[in-house]
Amino acid sequence: MRAIHGVRSLLAAAVLPLALVSTPTAHAAALPIQVPCGESALADAINTANAAGGGSLTLAALCTYTLTSAHSSGGAGHPAGLPNITTPISMTGFLTQITRAPGAPAFRIFEVDGPSQVPGANGRLSMTTVTVSGGDAGLGVGGGIANLGGTVTLNSSTVSGSKASYGGGIYTDGALTLTGSTVSGNTASVVGGGIFTNAGTVALTGSAVFGNTPTNCGALPPVSPAC
């Protein structure tokens, strides 16, 4: 700093534009992120987006991201296969799947953390044309997706073949919106095999919730089931 104070004002004025030019690099991670087909690549991309305050992830087309281990400690029951979503993150795929590997330890696929459950978090997950499957939250909630006070939006996506105590497919106590999406073939050991609504809002538009066990939808009174 002493050297800077010693230069002439003309030179200082020339340095300022250079500083302004360099600042956008600090926000580069918030730009769209291309995610190669691989477990580590997807986990790293989510961590990068969270650190940048949010991001837009373009997933590999026709790829199955197979998760072999948990990348998060989780917040309700078993851990999550991917890092917790704590910022606004969108994921767009094309016939893309995210699934837990057969024989892998039990873990849900996604946990989305919002401020009502995790102070300082602002988790908002939006997924388009992605299938989430094979999650296992054990005695926890939300085998496919556990929305803990955040916002989850699914467009033309599917949640299937997952299990938990409540909300085998999806558990939510935040805001959940499904458009042109499907929740099927999930299992809950208690209730809400497809979707369990603990609190918050659920909006289903052109979406199907079927073939879940023991019920397609469940809720904690006085909240009404989503279907």
Side-chain angles (χ1 to χ4, degrees):
M1 291 299 293
R2 291 191 181 96
I4 293 176
H5 290 316
V7 298
R8 296 185 179 184
S9 58
L10 180 61
L11 183 58
V15 172
L16 181 58
L18 294 177
L20 293 176
V21 169
S22 65
T23 53
T25 60
H27 304 284
L31 297 175
I33 302 171
Q34 297 286 334
V35 185
C37 187
E39 175 181 8
S40 295
L42 181 53
D44 290 346
I46 293 173
N47 282 327
T48 298
N50 276 332
S56 176
L57 278 55
T58 300
L59 306 183
L62 306 177
C63 167
T64 297
Y65 292 90
T66 302
L67 309 179
T68 60
S69 62
H71 292 267
S72 165
S73 60
H78 278 291
L82 291 167
N84 292 0
I85 306 296
T86 58
T87 62
I89 294 177
S90 66
M91 298 185 186
T92 301
F94 178 76
L95 300 179
T96 302
Q97 300 184 52
I98 302 173
T99 189
R100 175 177 148 270
F107 53 78
R108 66 169 58 88
I109 306 299
F110 283 104
E111 178 175 321
V112 182
D113 294 334
S116 64
Q117 298 288 343
V118 180
N122 182 31
R124 287 185 278 160
L125 174 64
S126 174
M127 287 196 295
T128 302
T129 325
V130 177
T131 294
V132 174
S133 65
D136 183 358
L139 297 177
V141 300
I145 301 172
N147 180 24
L148 305 183
T151 299
V152 173
T153 303
L154 303 183
N155 301 297
S156 302
S157 293
T158 298
V159 179
S160 65
S162 296
K163 57 185 179 180
S165 57
Y166 294 85
I170 302 172
Y171 169 95
T172 182
D173 54 25
L176 174 65
T177 301
L178 274 63
T179 302
S181 295
T182 300
V183 180
S184 66
N186 303 285
T187 303
S189 59
V190 181
V191 70
I195 300 173
F196 185 85
T197 309
N198 185 63
T201 61
V202 178
L204 305 179
T205 303
S207 297
V209 184
F210 66 93
N212 302 284
T213 304
T215 58
N216 286 315
C217 295
L220 181 67
V223 178
S224 298
C227 59

